Amino acid sequence: MGICVNPFDGSGTLPQLAMQLHDALKRSDLDFYDYLDQIGGDFVVVFNRGDDVRILQDCAATKTVYYANHPAAGVVAASHANLIAQPFGLPAEPRAALVYEDKSYREDPSRYLPGDVTPYTGLFALTSNNELHFTSGTTRRFFPREALPEYQGSMDELAEEIAVILKEQARLLAALGRPIIVATTGGRDSRVSVAAFSDYPDASLFSFFFATTGALSHDVATANVIARRLGQDLKVFNLDDYHDATFQFAFDTTSPRGIWPRATRCYLKEFDPEAIHVRSTVSEIGRLFYGKPAPSKISAEQLAHAYTRTPFFSDPLVTDSIARFMKMSNFAMDQFFNYNAFDMFYWEHRNAKWQNVLCMEAEMATDVFIPFNNRRLIKLFLSVPEKSRLEAELHVLATRLLNPALSDIPYV
């Protein structure tokens, strides 16, 4: 369920991908997971082995899955928190209110619920690289399954491999015949996506900002330069224009403790409902987001400090909830082979607790597609030295290969 493609074998529709996954599952679980790693996009897979029904998500769990174990109904799962909380009467989670009421945490520009905290007591969020088993109501980690190999070729060769993958994804998405709207900023991630879709006339560009504060105006200025270089128009939206108290009720029902109601209303008012909204997230997994070298051991206290740089990181609410998250999601050093635990925390916590909420909100208006949201692709970004990752060297090189006209525009 969702929207996804496989740039490695050219499968570009849900029926094709479902059949390929089914055939792989008939061979073995390992073949199934290996094929799953090739699929990029924004999706959920439900499958079974005999009576064991399972559910899992795309690479970074950008398609939300919530679940609960109800005394009468057993294990239930849904795409939205209220689809479970309302019919089963789950009470509001008091820890969620405390998170947003904390004065020091208000200074964090990207606030979200930590660890195992969700808007409702007894409700849990499935996290990436884990699958939910309905019979037992437990989760099991299925990735990583082996050590990450270090790339042996040159950076130019790897960038070319990445560019080919991204270009094939763009081709498969364009073949669906739907309008494509690419979020355009001044960052490196967005530049790669714009370059990958720049050959397709049905792909348009948009950007937004807040006129009252000037926030994101630098992104808009750079996006305008990019659009002019491509000979395209850039749709620019002032999010101050999209506040609406009546809409807020629908937004809160869809996304309790939601993040960006004005952007969501903008998408609803301005985008064709048949459009595909291309978001350039997830690639930060390969950019050493927390800037920390691989630790020899990991603790809830270390991860809490990564969650927020505000003094809120030391609050027992944060450390205790992250400790429960670690247990629930099988987050442990002996599960990661040679992967950096901080990379995995960004991958499985920030993406599956913050970014997927933003994607869910955006999907009130259109489908979402994330070009970087592909395990096999992310492994390539992770396979190079940390210095190259911090400098986003592969992003710069891939942009130059995909569209040289965009490679000399300064980044924000």
Side-chain angles (χ1 to χ4, degrees), residues 19 36 59 143 148 282 323 349 369-370 408 412:
M19 186 57 68
L36 181 76
C59 170
F143 183 91
L148 175 69
V282 177
H349 186 263
F369 184 85
I370 302 165
D408 64 342
V412 173

Side-chain angles (χ1 to χ4, degrees), residues 64-349:
T64 49
V65 173
Y66 293 97
Y67 66 97
N69 197 338
H70 189 266
V75 180
V76 292
S79 55
H80 292 67
N82 274 331
L83 289 177
I84 298 174
Q86 289 189 0
F88 291 108
L90 299 185
E93 171 56 69
R95 291 179 299 165
L98 292 173
V99 169
Y100 286 102
E101 289 167 2
D102 186 88
K103 292 181 179 179
S104 67
Y105 191 48
R106 289 176 188 170
E107 302 303 314
D108 195 306
S110 301
R111 295 188 297 164
Y112 62 102
L113 298 174
D116 71 328
V117 182
T118 70
Y120 299 100
T121 300
L123 185 74
F124 303 98
L126 185 61
T127 56
S128 45
N129 302 322
N130 283 265
E131 61 186 14
L132 174 64
H133 290 241
F134 276 91
T135 304
S136 61
T138 59
T139 61
R140 186 186 74 86
R141 175 173 292 278
F142 64 86
F143 183 91
R145 296 181 296 281
E146 59 186 3
L148 175 69
E150 182 180 339
Y151 191 76
Q152 298 301 314
S154 69
M155 291 293 288
D156 287 333
E157 290 171 328
L158 181 53
E160 185 171 356
E161 185 176 346
I162 287 171
V164 169
I165 295 168
L166 292 168
K167 200 162 188 175
E168 175 64 2
Q169 282 194 146
R171 184 191 71 79
L172 291 167
L173 206 66
L176 298 177
R178 297 168 59 181
I180 296 171
I181 308 174
V182 185
T184 309
T185 71
R188 289 161 175 78
D189 316 286
S190 165
R191 190 77 54 86
V192 175
S193 295
V194 171
F197 284 92
S198 60
D199 290 339
Y200 299 98
D202 287 338
S204 60
L205 311 180
F206 83 95
S207 193
F208 53 57
F209 73 115
F210 291 89
T212 52
T213 63
L216 306 177
S217 58
H218 293 300
D219 280 304
V220 172
T222 302
N224 269 309
V225 175
I226 292 169
R228 287 196 298 270
R229 191 70 61 88
L230 294 174
Q232 293 190 26
D233 293 327
L234 175 73
K235 297 175 182 177
V236 178
F237 306 112
N238 172 15
L239 293 187
D240 290 326
D241 294 337
Y242 295 93
H243 172 70
D244 183 86
T246 303
F247 169 71
Q248 192 69 42
F249 174 79
F251 179 82
D252 291 340
T253 302
T254 300
S255 183
R257 297 288 173 185
I259 296 172
W260 220 336
R262 295 187 188 193
T264 302
R265 187 162 183 262
C266 173
Y267 305 147
L268 278 161
K269 287 180 67 69
E270 306 295 347
F271 291 176
D272 183 333
E274 291 301 310
I276 299 171
H277 174 176
V278 175
R279 298 173 65 94
S280 300
T281 182
V282 177
S283 85
E284 295 95 333
I285 295 170
R287 290 179 54 188
L288 211 69
F289 182 85
Y290 291 123
K292 297 176 181 289
S296 57
K297 56 184 179 180
I298 199 70
S299 68
E301 288 72 22
Q302 288 172 287
L303 297 178
H305 212 163
Y307 161 69
T308 181
R309 295 181 180 179
T310 68
F312 188 49
F313 82 88
S314 62
D315 193 302
L317 185 160
V318 176
T319 52
D320 290 350
S321 68
I322 289 178
R324 282 189 287 269
F325 161 84
M326 294 173 71
K327 183 177 181 180
M328 179 179 67
S329 62
N330 312 295
F331 193 98
M333 293 294 291
D334 62 1
Q335 299 290 313
F336 296 149
F337 298 91
N338 61 338
Y339 285 75
N340 183 331
F342 287 111
D343 289 341
M344 299 305 293
F345 186 62
Y346 177 80
W347 185 339
E348 299 181 0
H349 186 263

Side-chain angles (χ1 to χ4, degrees), residues 16-78:
Q16 287 176 317
L17 292 163
M19 186 57 68
Q20 294 281 22
L21 282 168
H22 176 259
D23 290 345
L25 186 62
K26 287 196 295 185
R27 293 191 298 271
S28 70
D29 279 14
L30 182 59
D31 282 352
F32 173 82
Y33 296 126
D34 285 346
Y35 190 82
L36 181 76
D37 290 351
Q38 300 177 33
I39 303 175
D42 180 81
F43 62 92
V44 168
V45 178
V46 181
F47 67 105
N48 69 289
R49 279 289 200 191
D51 294 333
D52 184 18
V53 179
R54 313 178 203 176
I55 186 168
L56 49 76
Q57 295 149 293
D58 55 54
C59 170
T62 57
K63 182 76 78 178
T64 49
V65 173
Y66 293 97
Y67 66 97
N69 197 338
H70 189 266
V75 180
V76 292

Side-chain angles (χ1 to χ4, degrees), residues 350-382:
R350 188 180 175 96
N351 276 284
K353 296 282 293 177
W354 175 67
Q355 186 58 240
N356 68 359
V357 172
L358 288 170
C359 289
M360 176 187 64
E361 292 169 3
E363 287 186 332
M364 289 179 71
T366 68
D367 281 325
V368 166
F369 184 85
I370 302 165
F372 300 102
N373 197 26
N374 179 304
R375 286 186 185 85
R376 192 159 158 185
L377 180 60
I378 287 297
K379 285 170 66 176
L380 294 177
F381 280 104
L382 289 170

